[in-house]
Amino acid sequence: MYLLLAQGTPRPRTVNDLPGRDRRGAQASPLNGAVAWRSAAGVRLAVQAAGLGLALCGAALAQGLATLAVAVAVAGVFVSPLITTAYLIADETAAPEARVQAGAWVNTAVNAGGTAGAAAAGVLVGWLPAGVCFAVTGGVMMLTALAVARRATGRAKGYGKSRTPEVTR
């Protein structure tokens, strides 16, 4: 999709404007484009990061496998919107000729963070109980949410309104 945008192809306005494979993936998500966000993307990013942090802290308190599975599932609900919002912010804040590169940097950050987090978790799990590892991870996400919230609310305009395509029925 980024390649199409870089070549000057018009931006898709609805899910049905996307190429075939992307359209099927986008339609599989029941909330994709269905929410008309009223808050700035920076504020949403902070709220989503805080939600993920709280869910991970909740996983630290899980007493059994079933409650751990529920807590991790709740945490998983925040991951895709968080990453999507990061892409939207990169797209909003980059100059038109640099949007593809900004999206690539978000992708690089997600992959590098996942790799570094997995490596750190692998080391820590050998020394600490799993609950402590979840609590540390949740705490890091809460600090990230705080940093993003301070930056988003510290600007007069925030990150601006995202250009989420309108849903047509």
Side-chain angles (χ1 to χ4, degrees):
M1 177 126 170
Y2 280 121
L3 181 60
L4 293 173
L5 295 176
Q7 293 175 345
T9 305
R11 295 184 68 89
R13 291 185 313 274
T14 68
V15 170
N16 292 324
D17 292 341
L18 295 172
R21 190 181 73 171
D22 293 329
R23 179 176 55 242
R24 286 189 300 276
Q27 288 173 337
S29 173
L31 295 179
N32 189 0
V35 177
W37 298 108
R38 294 187 178 151
S39 60
V43 173
R44 290 195 317 266
L45 187 70
V47 169
Q48 293 161 351
L52 178 57
L54 288 173
L56 290 170
C57 287
L61 302 173
Q63 295 297 316
L65 188 58
T67 43
L68 179 61
V70 169
V72 170
V74 169
V77 167
F78 291 98
V79 174
S80 287
L82 188 67
I83 294 171
T84 302
T85 304
Y87 278 110
L88 287 172
I89 290 172
D91 188 59
E92 288 174 358
T93 57
E97 63 275 3
R99 287 188 178 139
V100 173
Q101 186 176 10
W105 277 112
V106 170
N107 193 33
T108 300
V110 168
N111 290 331
T115 301
V123 170
L124 290 179
V125 132
W127 294 340
L128 302 171
V132 173
C133 293
F134 277 114
V136 168
T137 305
V140 169
M141 281 307 302
M142 295 301 291
L143 290 174
T144 303
L146 179 64
V148 170
R150 290 185 67 186
R151 183 165 174 96
T153 57
R155 294 183 179 185
K157 297 180 182 177
Y159 286 105
K161 294 186 178 186
S162 67
R163 294 183 303 263
T164 305
E166 292 183 22
V167 176
T168 56
R169 302 214 187 251

